[in-house]
Amino acid sequence: MAIEWSGLSPGLLVRLDRSASQPLRAQLEAGLREAIRDGRLRAGERLPSSRELARALAVSRGMVQECYGQLLAEGYLTSRTGSATRVAGISGQQAGDQPAVGPAVASPWPARQLQQSPLIADFEPGVPDLSSFPRTDWAWAVKQACAEVASADLGYGDPRGSSVLREVLAGYLRRVRAAAASPARMIISTALRKESTWYCGPWPARAA
């Protein structure tokens, strides 16, 4: 599934070495080819606009347009008038897309700790400023989601987290962090404490 973005262009990690003898355009073309070949950029994913990528890399927009044109000619990219430039469907299924095989992970729920008295300042690690939670924006987003969500999506779903969210995060990590990320090997959790319980719970206790 290709990641769709609205508004801002998607981020993309491309390194340019201005001290190298290789021209910047050649470096940019090689970097995009490598990102497509190794799966960081998947078929159907949208690339940043030439203006946004030029601004991010501090190069001329014309150079980015020439680079995109070359990769279009080579078949790495596709583009239509009035539409974004996207990765062509030439990379096929990437390594790491197969579901990870392993024992089932136990998911015990830690007991909720109750505050005995209100605190002036809570310095417990991992706890954000809950008073700054964007209640209005969250309520609007929930209302929009509930109005459009399919009935089947109201169930428990995949215990690893939303497949759509894992797909978006994997795409971001591939493009911006150059990570070999696969949605099949990601777990979305609501809290660090919950994750720690999942990971450490199955381990046998070691003798002192």
Side-chain angles (χ1 to χ4, degrees):
M1 180 187 66
I3 299 174
E4 296 292 338
W5 300 84
S6 60
L8 298 178
S9 296
L12 177 63
L13 175 63
V14 180
R15 295 186 177 92
L16 298 181
D17 184 1
R18 285 173 167 77
S19 63
S21 59
Q22 186 181 29
L24 294 180
R25 174 183 165 180
Q27 292 185 43
L28 180 56
E29 291 178 4
L32 291 176
R33 287 193 196 95
E34 181 182 358
I36 294 172
R37 288 170 178 169
D38 64 16
R40 284 179 50 214
L41 287 173
R42 299 295 177 93
E45 287 190 337
R46 178 163 68 93
L47 267 65
S49 67
S50 58
R51 186 186 305 275
E52 287 296 324
L53 186 56
R55 181 188 59 80
L57 298 176
V59 297
S60 69
R61 183 184 181 190
M63 191 194 82
V64 176
Q65 290 176 327
E66 291 175 358
C67 176
Y68 278 6
Q70 178 63 32
L71 295 179
L72 281 166
E74 295 177 9
Y76 285 96
L77 304 178
T78 61
S79 180
R80 292 180 297 176
T81 303
S83 180
T85 302
R86 297 179 179 273
V87 178
I90 62 174
S91 57
Q93 186 175 8
Q94 303 296 330
D97 280 348
Q98 299 299 326
V101 178
V105 179
S107 57
W109 293 84
R112 187 188 181 100
Q113 296 182 355
L114 301 178
Q115 294 288 350
Q116 299 298 328
S117 59
L119 300 175
I120 298 177
D122 187 357
F123 294 103
E124 182 179 358
V127 178
D129 180 11
L130 301 178
S131 64
S132 298
F133 186 81
R135 298 173 184 266
T136 302
D137 293 341
W138 186 267
W140 174 86
V142 170
K143 181 179 179 181
Q144 288 292 109
C146 289
E148 302 172 1
V149 70
S151 299
D153 293 333
L154 296 175
Y156 287 106
D158 194 322
R160 297 172 299 176
S162 167
S163 60
V164 176
L165 179 55
R166 287 187 285 118
E167 182 74 28
V168 171
L169 289 177
Y172 172 83
L173 292 172
R174 288 193 304 268
R175 291 191 320 275
V176 180
R177 300 297 183 182
S182 169
R185 298 186 177 182
M186 298 180 69
I187 295 178
I188 306 256
S189 176
T190 56
L192 178 60
R193 183 176 300 171
K194 177 181 176 182
E195 292 175 351
S196 300
T197 304
W198 280 355
Y199 298 150
C200 300
W203 292 359
R206 290 186 176 182

